[in-house]
Amino acid sequence: MARHTRTSRRLPKAAGAAGAAACFIAAGSLALADTSPRQAAQGPEVTGGVATYRSDATIGRLSVPSSWTKIVIGKGVTLRGNFLIPADRTAALTIQGKDARTSRLVGDGSHVKDTDLAAVSTEARIDLRLKTFTSLNPRHFHIIAKRARVLASGIRVIDDRDEYHNNSDGFGGGDGSVIEDSYFDTWDDTFKIYNGDLTVRNTTVLHNANGAPVQMAWGDYGHGTLIADGLKVVSRSGNHYNQGLFSWAGGTKPDSRSVELTGEGLIRSTAPDMRTAPLYVWKDGVRNKTISVRGGVCSALRSTGANTVFEPGARDNTVRVTDCD
């Protein structure tokens, strides 16, 4: 695994959107200093189907009991491990912290390509509500629930190891999923538009050197539309980017994805002393794909030689921008 040299997150003051975003980034990162966990003497308190963790614990790969309807992570509580929700579950589940910064779910070990070791994972067709906690440095993805309708609010999804190819992908939910008032700083793809429509509102994404904020697919599969209202993407690499804000990373069969910008739509900025990321990247060998964008500002969204990268072998790919100002 190649190590990427980390750029300091303590950013100087700057005017405008980039400066405001930089201040938000720095403030958000200060709360992530690890503390030694206090090993809980027992599991959570469970009352009426609500499991409440009041002290730090190593939970390992915890298969969530069907009798639990809600998991609460107390303020100042760090859980080390991950929640695996069984595929045969039919009842809705809520995972909620008491404090967005100090209620934490932290990966317990090094990276592995094992979906069952994602911070929160399930194959169940359920409503899954995620509220007010931080997912930090998972062993695999942060949230992978491709059949669930995930309703996420006030979550912080962060990988501060800053390594390439670490599979710290942010979010892969099912059709009808919604993310709002949240913050994503991963070192891989952030949102996957594979499994149906995803709505993102008032949410900030750091675009690091590795990964795409919006990944259409890594091959010939999937479908979906991204509906964005106040999606704030901050370019945060001083060297280069291996993906664009919108990327298609694999596949050769004719296919398309849609992006609908409503309300505040897409808001881009670049952190001080950083390079602005490409808007669109078609990865090596990708062919016959279309990204259709509706809404927003026409001049900022049209594909040009300056904002689009076609890697070797990428051809017959199109960006269509309509209904814009």
Side-chain angles (χ1 to χ4, degrees), residues 178-310:
V178 178
I179 301 171
E180 57 187 4
D181 303 321
S182 295
Y183 175 82
F184 288 77
D185 177 8
T186 75
W187 270 71
D188 215 316
D189 300 334
T190 301
F191 303 132
K192 296 179 178 294
I193 315 302
Y194 299 174
N195 307 300
D197 295 352
L198 169 64
T199 298
V200 179
R201 303 189 189 106
N202 189 33
T203 290
T204 296
V205 175
L206 265 65
H207 191 171
N208 294 307
N210 187 59
V214 181
Q215 180 61 254
M216 305 305 177
W218 281 82
D220 294 316
Y221 57 81
H223 68 283
T225 295
L226 171 71
I227 302 118
D229 179 359
L231 170 57
K232 308 171 185 72
V233 180
V234 184
S235 294
R236 187 59 176 81
S237 174
N239 298 313
H240 72 284
Y241 299 88
N242 69 354
Q243 303 258 7
L245 195 163
F246 300 108
S247 285
W248 209 311
T252 60
K253 297 179 181 179
D255 199 356
S256 64
R257 296 288 187 276
S258 297
V259 177
E260 295 186 7
L261 304 177
T262 65
E264 295 187 28
L266 173 67
I267 303 164
R268 298 190 74 192
S269 62
T270 301
D273 302 320
M274 300 293 147
R275 296 180 59 184
T276 299
L279 182 59
Y280 304 102
V281 168
W282 307 96
K283 296 294 284 182
D284 184 18
V286 173
R287 302 195 297 276
N288 305 311
K289 308 299 184 185
T290 300
I291 298 175
S292 297
V293 182
R294 293 182 57 192
V297 178
C298 304
S299 60
L301 294 167
R302 289 195 179 106
S303 175
T304 68
N307 68 14
T308 303
V309 174
F310 289 87

Side-chain angles (χ1 to χ4, degrees), residues 134-162:
T134 291
S135 172
L136 176 65
N137 296 343
R139 297 198 68 184
H140 195 48
F141 296 167
H142 286 270
I143 300 154
I144 183 69
K146 62 185 180 180
R147 297 181 179 179
R149 186 170 72 113
V150 182
L151 306 175
S153 177
I155 62 171
R156 291 157 45 83
V157 173
I158 296 168
D159 189 302
D160 65 4
R161 294 166 290 196
D162 295 9

